[in-house]
Amino acid sequence: MQPPVPSFTTTWHNAPYPSISPTRPELSAAGKTVIVTGAGSGIGHATTASFARAGATKIILIGRNKVNLEETQRSLPCASSVHAVDVRDEQAVPNVASAVGRWDMLILAAGYIPTPASILDSSVNEWLEALETNLKGTLILAKSFLPPTNPIHAAVIGYSAAVTFPAAMLPGLSAYTISKTAVIKLIEYTAAENPSIFAAALHPGVVDTPILRKTGVDPTTLPMDDADLPANFAVWLASKEASFLKGG
């Protein structure tokens, strides 16, 4: 199936490929503490598995659903801890950050999408909940976790989907795309204000997740991506290889 938008590369990948395999020695996360939000399902769940395959020493699982987080935890071969908190909670998230202490990689995979509706027909409260979770949640995580980062090499990767598509292709998704566009700028400022940190927004592709299903999209009509593809790419991006993106 052809890409839904023009591809900027000669090869369009829908599944993991060898050059971003988390088992490559140069992508090793050995000795690293990795934090993953939204770790209980979807791309967040897949990302924890990829960092585990990369040899992460410890993975911190953050999300709202404790049962899902514990299921993810049972699948991991490395040390891990579960923190069932809402990323919008301005008291609970800093407490988690204090408990975790120094970390090396922060992966922002938590997200919320309202029921699709035009701006005119949207519920104001539900529309704003997308901003609360996607934008405010990212802000709280940044303010809470940035102080105790590894001062030598720390990476912040935020998944930010759908923002590359024009509005006409995404009817009813104004709250989600606007909030995720704002997240990109927040991550950009994080990088500018913290030069010792590598920070980037990553479009995860089109993956069959609960969020995608809520948009009403039929997965059979699009070239779906394996969840391991963005997960493995996040490992590559957060690795030392990412230093060349900083001019290193």
Side-chain angles (χ1 to χ4, degrees):
M1 192 179 294
Q2 292 299 309
V5 293
S7 175
F8 295 103
T9 63
T10 56
T11 303
W12 181 273
H13 292 282
N14 294 108
Y17 48 96
S19 60
I20 61 169
S21 171
T23 60
R24 288 177 59 187
E26 61 269 36
L27 305 187
S28 173
K32 306 295 185 182
T33 294
V34 181
I35 302 165
V36 182
T37 70
S41 63
I43 296 171
H45 175 89
T47 301
T48 65
S50 290
F51 274 102
R53 289 196 296 273
T57 299
K58 187 173 185 179
I59 300 180
I60 311 300
L61 311 175
I62 296 176
R64 282 188 282 190
N65 190 309
K66 185 177 181 181
V67 172
N68 289 350
L69 292 175
E70 290 176 339
E71 183 177 345
T72 298
Q73 183 182 39
R74 286 192 292 271
S75 70
L76 298 175
C78 58
S80 60
S81 62
V82 165
H83 301 273
V85 298
D86 189 323
V87 296
R88 302 172 297 179
D89 193 323
E90 296 180 56
Q91 294 183 330
V93 174
N95 289 339
V96 173
S98 296
V100 171
R102 180 165 154 167
W103 55 270
D104 301 281
M105 299 168 184
L106 173 61
I107 312 300
L108 306 171
Y112 173 78
I113 187 168
T115 302
S118 68
I119 291 175
L120 184 62
D121 295 331
S122 294
S123 158
V124 172
N125 288 338
E126 191 177 14
W127 200 98
L128 290 177
E129 189 171 349
L131 288 177
E132 284 280 308
T133 300
N134 301 335
L135 181 56
K136 180 182 176 180
T138 301
L139 175 63
I140 292 171
L141 288 162
K143 289 176 67 67
S144 301
F145 280 97
L146 284 181
T149 60
N150 182 333
I152 299 174
H153 178 79
V156 177
I157 309 297
Y159 288 117
S160 194
V163 296
T164 59
F165 294 89
M169 292 182 65
L170 301 170
L173 301 183
S174 61
Y176 182 77
T177 56
I178 288 170
S179 63
K180 285 294 188 177
T181 301
V183 167
I184 289 177
K185 297 304 294 186
L186 194 156
I187 291 174
E188 184 179 334
Y189 270 97
T190 297
E193 296 171 357
N194 301 274
S196 65
I197 294 174
F198 173 76
L202 170 59
H203 192 302
V206 185
V207 179
D208 190 358
T209 64
I211 283 182
L212 181 77
R213 295 271 179 162
K214 193 173 180 180
T215 68
V217 167
D218 179 356
T220 65
T221 65
L222 292 173
M224 302 303 297
D225 298 319
D226 190 313
D228 286 342
L229 177 60
N232 287 4
F233 194 81
V235 173
W236 175 85
L237 193 58
S239 73
K240 291 183 179 179
E241 280 195 15
S243 63
F244 84 88
L245 294 172
K246 298 169 63 180

